[in-house]
């Protein structure tokens, strides 16, 4: 499966600068509202040092990391759902993403104007949440009359109508669906879950709050804790977009040196991806051989056949077994043959639950 993240936020919060840093792009990042007119999309390889380790063991010709797609849309403003600003024109571009990265301005810079001349992270968060709720209300209000009409002819549709009405009630109360207990109840029922997929409600998506902070806040745990409290229990990531942009121009050694000077061990991209994997319940497994080593993204708890299906549907349908080696055992043994001699290679069946460091070769018949 592929991982995609939609980036939202008010104008001038550093979305485009952050997007450029994450994707190594050069889109316009200007000091005025709506610098981003068209939605920008960037596909980024997910950093995974295990791939280099496997490539050395197998002498692989090619390394293929898993990827994440970032979609950056125009800044949203109060009234966006009613046509104010430009962001509402592009919300459709993030309806199909797996998660939302909500960029919040938490830095002070008199040279970068705020959309309403007030620097208040909590208020900014509320503005965006309100606009996303209102956008979803428009979607659900269009769907309910259709379900009501269908339910008259087919009583089996009635539970879907009731679900849609319950969603509307939550949204009318100003509650994003991701923050409502109703979401968990919907996801327990396959039919209702399918309705949710059809609606593509933005507020049903998990949200990761990305606080764009001053350089002096990067290592300030106390200041970060106060910002985390604003969005708890959602995950928060703290980045300095200005610093991330500077890192782009450095080689790996100089990047590590600069990060260390700020008390960091990895750039913001890595931390955002870790947060996304955790929030979405994802993990990756590895395949390796002389031709290539590759990382594959799957859900935590996925079975071996389900993992095989990510490579190709035929692999899942014709699944026979999986040869599995733990990555660390393989590296320690120095070769696949060495791992076999040490008894570290296992054959697993259809009920096997995949683990994060599995190096796998699937056996199938179609």
């Amino acid at each position: 499966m592929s991982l995609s993240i939609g980036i939202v936020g008010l104008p001038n919060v550093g979305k485009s600068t952050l997007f450029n840093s994450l994707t190594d792009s050069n889109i316009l990042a200007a000091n005025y509202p709506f610098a981003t007119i068209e939605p920008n999309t960037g596909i980024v390889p997910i950093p995974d040092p295990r791939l280099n380790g496997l490539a050395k063991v197998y002498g692989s010709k090619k390394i293929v990391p898993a990827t994440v797609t970032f979609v950056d849309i125009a800044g949203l403003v109060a009234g966006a759902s009613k046509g104010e600003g430009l962001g509402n024109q592009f919300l459709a571009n993030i309806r199909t993403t797996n998660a939302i990265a909500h960029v919040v301005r938490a830095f002070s810079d008199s040279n970068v104007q705020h959309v309403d001349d007030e620097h208040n992270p909590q208020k900014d968060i509320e503005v965006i949440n309100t606009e996303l709720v209102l956008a979803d209300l428009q979607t659900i209000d269009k769907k309910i009359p259709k379900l009501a009409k269908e339910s008259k002819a087919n009583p089996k549709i009635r539970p879907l109508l009731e679900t849609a009405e319950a969603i509307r009630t939550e949204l009318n109360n100003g509650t994003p669906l991701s923050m409502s207990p109703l979401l968990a109840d919907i996801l327990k029922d396959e039919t209702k879950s399918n309705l949710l997929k059809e609606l593509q409600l933005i507020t049903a998506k998990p949200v990761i709050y990305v606080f764009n902070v001053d350089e002096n806040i990067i290592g300030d745990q106390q200041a970060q804790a106060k910002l985390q409290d604003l969005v708890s229990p959602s995950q928060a990531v703290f980045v300095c977009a200005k610093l991330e942009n500077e890192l782009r121009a450095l080689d790996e050694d100089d990047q590590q040196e600069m990060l260390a000077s700020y008390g960091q061990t990895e750039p913001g991209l890595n931390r955002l991806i870790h947060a996304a994997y955790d929030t979405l319940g994802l993990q990756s497994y590895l395949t390796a051989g002389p031709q290539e080593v590759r990382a594959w993204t799957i859900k935590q708890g996925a079975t071996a056949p389900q993992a095989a299906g990510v490579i190709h549907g035929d692999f899942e349908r014709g699944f026979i077994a999986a040869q599995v080696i733990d990555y660390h055992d393989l590296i320690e043994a120095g070769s696949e043959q060495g791992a076999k001699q040490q008894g570290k290679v296992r054959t697993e069946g259809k009920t096997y639950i995949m683990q994060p460091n599995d190096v796998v070769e699937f056996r199938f018949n179609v």
Side-chain angles (χ1 to χ4, degrees):
M1 62 178 293
S2 59
L3 172 62
S4 58
I5 299 176
I7 302 176
V8 303
L10 292 169
N12 288 358
V13 298
K15 291 194 305 95
S16 294
T17 301
L18 181 63
F19 178 87
N20 284 340
S21 302
L22 294 172
T23 63
D24 200 22
S25 302
N26 288 292
I27 63 170
L28 176 63
N31 178 24
Y32 55 84
F34 315 124
T36 303
I37 304 300
E38 296 296 330
N40 298 292
T41 300
I43 300 176
V44 183
I46 297 176
D48 192 339
R50 299 175 303 175
L51 296 174
N52 290 324
L54 287 177
K56 290 179 181 178
V57 169
Y58 285 91
S60 307
K61 297 178 181 178
K62 185 167 62 172
I63 294 176
V64 185
T67 61
V68 56
T69 300
F70 289 101
V71 181
D72 176 35
I73 66 168
L76 299 173
V77 295
S81 60
K82 298 179 181 179
E84 296 293 330
L86 298 171
N88 63 309
Q89 299 176 30
F90 308 119
L91 285 174
N93 292 280
I94 61 172
R95 288 193 181 277
T96 57
T97 60
N98 302 114
I100 300 295
H102 182 168
V103 182
V104 183
R105 176 172 174 168
F107 65 87
S108 299
D109 188 340
S110 59
N111 294 319
V112 180
Q113 70 180 93
H114 191 281
V115 68
D116 62 3
D117 296 322
E118 182 182 0
H119 178 210
N120 185 330
Q122 183 171 8
K123 179 182 176 183
D124 292 353
I125 291 169
E126 291 171 354
V127 168
I128 295 298
N129 285 344
T130 296
E131 293 309 315
L132 297 182
V133 163
L134 291 173
D136 279 353
L137 267 172
Q138 291 181 1
T139 299
I140 203 73
D141 282 343
K142 291 178 181 178
K143 186 64 176 179
I144 286 177
K146 296 178 181 178
L147 289 173
K149 183 177 180 180
E150 292 173 8
S151 67
K152 292 179 180 178
N154 183 359
K156 292 182 179 180
I157 299 295
R158 186 70 196 176
L160 296 183
L161 173 61
E162 292 172 351
T163 298
E165 290 173 338
I167 291 173
R168 181 169 61 181
T169 297
E170 291 292 277
L171 295 173
N172 271 326
N173 290 334
T175 305
L177 195 55
S178 64
M179 299 172 62
S180 169
L182 177 62
L183 180 60
D185 292 337
I186 293 174
L187 295 177
K188 293 176 183 176
D189 185 291
E190 183 178 357
T191 304
K192 294 177 181 178
S193 292
N194 289 335
L195 171 65
L196 198 60
K197 291 177 184 177
E198 177 189 344
L199 292 170
Q200 293 186 333
L201 299 179
I202 300 172
T203 66
K205 301 180 186 299
V207 180
I208 303 160
Y209 289 89
V210 183
F211 287 97
N212 186 7
V213 300
D214 290 310
E215 293 180 2
N216 63 315
I217 302 297
I218 285 292
D220 189 335
Q221 299 296 322
Q222 187 173 1
Q224 291 181 14
K226 291 181 180 179
L227 292 171
Q228 172 70 73
D229 287 344
L230 297 178
V231 298
S232 185
S234 296
Q235 286 218 47
V237 177
F238 303 91
V239 303
C240 174
K242 180 180 178 182
L243 172 61
E244 297 291 329
N245 200 41
E246 292 174 358
L247 288 171
R248 295 171 61 198
L250 303 178
D251 61 32
E252 187 172 347
D253 290 340
D254 288 339
Q255 283 184 4
Q256 290 303 317
E257 184 176 343
M258 177 173 279
L259 285 167
S261 70
Y262 288 94
Q264 303 297 301
T265 58
E266 57 184 359
L269 169 64
N270 299 36
R271 286 182 276 120
L272 178 54
I273 289 173
H274 293 328
Y277 265 58
D278 187 43
T279 298
L280 294 167
L282 301 177
Q283 65 184 38
S284 61
Y285 73 90
L286 309 163
T287 56
Q291 292 302 313
E292 71 171 30
V293 295
R294 186 185 290 253
W296 305 86
T297 301
I298 56 173
K299 283 280 190 181
Q300 293 175 12
T303 63
Q306 290 170 335
V310 172
I311 299 176
H312 196 286
D314 287 345
F315 284 27
E316 182 173 5
R317 287 188 290 272
F319 179 89
I320 298 173
Q323 175 183 284
V324 182
I325 318 170
D326 179 82
Y327 166 79
H328 298 292
D329 290 340
L330 178 57
I331 295 299
E332 184 177 345
S335 69
E336 186 176 312
Q337 185 60 36
K340 288 180 178 178
Q341 292 173 353
Q342 295 176 15
K344 299 295 186 180
V345 179
R346 315 183 312 274
T347 298
E348 301 288 355
K350 293 182 177 180
T351 60
Y352 176 68
I353 303 299
M354 298 291 293
Q355 300 302 307
N357 283 310
D358 284 345
V359 182
V360 187
E361 179 181 343
F362 294 107
R363 297 167 187 166
F364 63 99
N365 181 31
V366 292

